Every structure is written in C-alpha cells, then in structure tokens.
Amino acid sequence: MSTDPGGACVPPPGGLRLHRWNDRAVIGAAIAAFASGFGQFGVVAALGSVAQGFGQVSTGTSLLAQAGLSGTDLGVGLAIMRLASLGALPVIGLADRFGRRRILLVTVGAGLVLTVLAAASPTYWWFVAIFASGRPLLAATNGLAQVTAAEETGSADRAKAVALIAAGYGSGAGVIAIVHSLAASALGFRGVFLLALVPLALMPLLWRWIEESDRFTVAAAGPKHPVPVLAAVGKPFRRRLAVVVVLGFAVSVITGPANSFVFLFAQNYLRQPGFVTAGMVVGAGVAGLVGLLAGRWLADRVGRRLTGALAMMAVAVLAIWTYSGSAPALVAGYVVGTFAASVFAPAAGALLNELFPTSVRASVAGWWLVAGVLGAVTGLVVFGAVAGAGHGFAVAGLVTFVPPALVMTLFWLLPETRGREPEELWPAAS
C-alpha cells in the first residue's frame, strides 16, 4: 500500500491526477465490486436451495425430481434474471453524463436493498421478479467499478487496478458461495439473501473513499457532451464496438452456464456434501487470486489480446471437463477454470477501457454488459434445454461451449493497447 492512500498519485499524462492501483480511490471501487459479486452471485450459489424451497424434491432420476423445479423453470428463471441486466445499459450510460462516483454509489446501494427484499419472496416467480429488479443495478456497479479503476490509474497500474476490481467481485461471489455451502441448512436461501445487509453497511465507507476521476472531470468540462449510450455507437467507434460486442457475447455464452449450473450440478446431481463444495470454492478462490496475478503479469508483458484469447479458450475446455460427470472432474475443472477466467479478467478489462475515450467509456462498458447478458441467456437456454432433454450435462457442455471458444480469434481485429494511455489512442476525443 502507498504511504498516503488517500492522495498518492503517479506522474500523469496531460496534467491528470492519477492514483496507484492500491490507493484508497481504487480500493473503494473494489469494495463496490465486492458488494456487486456478493449480491449477484447469491442466486447461483443458492440455486439448489431456491429450487428446493419453492419446488418439491422426489426420488426420481430426472432433473425435476432431483432439483425440485424443472430444468425449464430454472433455465427460464435464470434467463429472466440475466435479461434484466439489460437495464444496466442506460443506467451505466448515465455515468458518462453525471459522473462515475454518483452513479456508482446509487447503483450499489439500491441493488443491495433489492437483493435483501428478494429474501421475502412468497413464490419462485416473485423471487425471480424481485431479484431481477436489482440485477441491472448490481451489474452496472461492477462495470462502473472497472471504469473508475481504469480511469484513476496510468498504463503501468491499469491492469493491476482492473485485477483488483475482479478480485473484489470474485471475493464477494466466493464469500456468499462458501456461506451457503456451510450454512445452507441453518440459513436457508432466505437467510443467504438477507446477508446482503453486510455489504450494505459499508456504504458510508464507499461515500468517503470513491472519487470522481480527473479524466471524467476534464471530459465533462469540455464543450461537447455526447448522448449517453448512443454516442458509443457513433461512426468513429462503430467498428471497435462491434468487435467488442461479439466478443462479449461469446465470452458469456461460455461463462453464463459454466458458472450458473455448477452448484446445482454439485449439490443436486452429484449429491456432493456441503463441505466438499465449500472446499472447492476455497480452492477456486486461491486459484483465482493466482490467476489474477498471472493475468496482470501476462497482460503487461505478453499483451492484452493474446492473454485474453488464450485464457477464454482454456475456460471453455475446462468448463466441458467440469460437467463431464464425475466429482473429481467437477472439482478440478472448476478450480482450474477459475484460474483461467481470472487470467482473462485483467487483460480484457484493461483492453476494454483503453480502446475508447472518456466521453463514451462508461457507455461502452454498458454495451459490453448487454452483449454479456444476451450471450449468457443464450448459453443458459441452450445448456438447460440440452441437459433437460435427457442428453446430460456432458453433452450440454460440448454443444454450448465449443462454438463460442472459436470466436476468441476476433481479438486480433483490435489494436494491442499494452503500455499505452487512452489519450494516445483517441487524442481528439479523450
């Protein structure tokens, strides 16, 4: 940590005041990302308990008998919650007009409140509706946290800052998964969602630590104020945005079902004991931390594009292995897959924020989220339909994960941004 975490800066490009990756302003954004992961991942970690709580488990061999709800109900419910994240596009776009700090504080606070309210749902579909209402706010929180961290840092610190945001989100998701694995019988899924009150209590800290970036302040003081969301689709940005959207879609076709069904597969299909699942999550947490460090190093030395493409192809292969049908494959595939996904995060996050100028950067993050939502929904529906039709999880993995892995070659249509500031790539628009 720097000796003055509130104000330590690095030599800026063009007179901008920039922070180191471990300064208070970036850590505040990472805490917001932690809250986003904690709130969003609860439905994945507790999916088996949610299905049992609202459905009826029997002794049959079908997914309906083992889970309590049909694969269609689960897939449609998850798809609705994913589709709700489309609302993050206009929300996150507001940060290009009103500032990163203001919108970030609103989204994290309101999103956590709605997550807490989901604990009181009387039926499964009420649960889906309430949780879905908070999903766009928490999705926008994670996107804005990355934008904030990227804008607050220079080239030498940017991949580290993005890795810290990813670590924050992953830690939040991991904590809620461990809590559910160890205390599901005592808390139930309702108690798990009530725990969102814990990160909600950190709002006063976030209010003090999160700052507005100088990059946004300078852009906001300029004579031009592009229309949020739509300006990112303007002619100068159209080609890059199209490639980014296709990549974001393909990435989430893989990660959506790979992450969303894993605990259901472990708890309701393989009947894995809770302590084993908790150990798997802890192991994945360690692997994720190592992966973030490796990804940051590779992004700064090998390059953003090569690191991102190879890491996501590895995620697809490991996801297929995870659902191949045995408990050892599940544990190993999940842990090593988390490592590969963590290698991907710093490279892709840095690249996304370096490719576009400040005036549209938050809106581009929103378009990336939208592409991810549509990709995840597509993956969830395909995976759930194939698995629910009697073909099993292994076949569902092959059908769902192989085609999008091939799309990762599109990374080479984008320029390499390693060692460069956004102002160098867009000198007239930043």
Side-chain angles (χ1 to χ4, degrees):
M1 297 284 288
S2 59
T3 56
D4 180 15
C9 302
V10 295
L16 298 174
R17 182 177 65 103
L18 301 178
H19 291 276
R20 301 304 300 253
W21 69 273
N22 55 359
D23 288 344
R24 192 170 67 182
V26 180
I27 292 174
I31 294 173
F34 173 92
S36 173
F38 192 95
Q40 289 191 80
F41 204 71
V43 71
V44 176
L47 184 59
S49 296
V50 169
Q52 292 173 350
F54 291 120
Q56 186 173 357
V57 179
S58 65
T59 57
T61 59
S62 67
L63 182 59
L64 172 62
Q66 293 174 338
L69 291 173
S70 69
T72 300
D73 284 345
L74 290 172
V76 170
L78 287 170
I80 290 173
M81 288 183 273
R82 288 279 185 170
L83 281 171
S85 296
L86 292 173
L89 177 58
V91 173
I92 200 171
L94 293 174
D96 278 336
R97 178 61 57 87
F98 299 107
R100 286 54 165 131
R101 179 181 182 274
R102 182 186 305 178
I103 303 302
L104 180 56
L105 290 171
V106 169
T107 56
V108 67
L112 288 173
V113 167
L114 287 167
T115 302
V116 171
L117 290 177
S121 304
T123 67
Y124 174 67
W125 295 111
W126 267 105
F127 171 81
V128 170
I130 296 172
F131 191 86
S133 299
R135 190 66 185 257
L137 298 171
L138 293 175
T141 295
N142 193 45
L144 279 176
Q146 284 210 11
V147 170
T148 299
E151 289 185 348
E152 291 280 17
T153 52
S155 176
D157 284 276
R158 190 167 298 118
K160 299 174 188 175
V162 171
L164 184 62
I165 300 302
Y169 182 88
S171 297
V175 166
I176 197 67
I178 291 171
V179 168
H180 177 264
S181 297
L182 296 179
S185 58
L187 292 174
F189 78 90
R190 299 185 192 276
V192 169
F193 286 96
L194 283 174
L195 288 175
L197 289 168
V198 176
L200 190 61
L202 298 176
M203 286 302 298
L205 181 68
L206 298 182
W207 184 271
R208 294 195 301 271
W209 283 18
I210 295 176
E211 301 178 7
E212 191 60 79
S213 72
D214 274 16
R215 282 191 164 102
F216 174 79
T217 302
V218 170
K224 296 181 179 180
H225 297 284
V227 178
V229 176
L230 297 179
V233 195
K235 190 175 181 180
F237 319 117
R238 206 167 289 162
R239 181 178 177 276
R240 284 188 189 177
L241 183 62
V243 176
V244 163
V245 165
V246 173
L247 283 171
F249 179 90
V251 165
S252 292
V253 170
I254 299 169
T255 60
N259 293 330
S260 297
F261 283 102
V262 68
F263 294 102
L264 177 73
F265 182 64
Q267 296 162 6
N268 298 56
Y269 186 80
L270 293 181
R271 306 295 184 184
Q272 184 168 272
F275 71 89
V276 176
T277 304
M280 181 178 78
V281 173
V282 171
V286 175
L289 177 59
V290 176
L292 288 172
L293 295 173
R296 191 278 305 169
W297 188 89
L298 290 168
D300 283 339
R301 286 164 177 78
V302 176
R304 284 40 164 153
R305 296 181 305 178
L306 181 61
T307 301
L310 293 182
M312 190 47 58
M313 289 178 180
V315 170
V317 172
L318 291 164
I320 293 170
W321 187 27
T322 298
Y323 289 105
S324 60
S326 70
L330 167 67
V331 174
Y334 182 72
V335 171
V336 183
T338 301
F339 169 84
S342 299
V343 170
F344 175 82
L351 179 66
L352 178 66
N353 285 288
E354 290 163 342
L355 283 173
F356 298 90
T358 303
S359 59
V360 299
R361 190 170 292 121
S363 295
V364 169
W367 283 107
W368 172 267
L369 284 172
V370 165
V373 170
L374 296 176
V377 169
T378 301
L380 287 168
V381 171
V382 171
F383 191 96
V386 175
H391 298 293
F393 285 90
V395 174
L398 283 169
V399 171
T400 308
F401 302 141
V402 171
L406 303 177
V407 178
M408 295 305 117
T409 55
L410 293 184
F411 267 103
W412 273 266
L413 294 180
L414 299 171
E416 178 56 64
T417 62
R418 175 174 61 96
R420 305 175 71 183
E421 298 293 348
E423 290 77 13
E424 299 175 45
L425 296 165
W426 298 95
S430 294

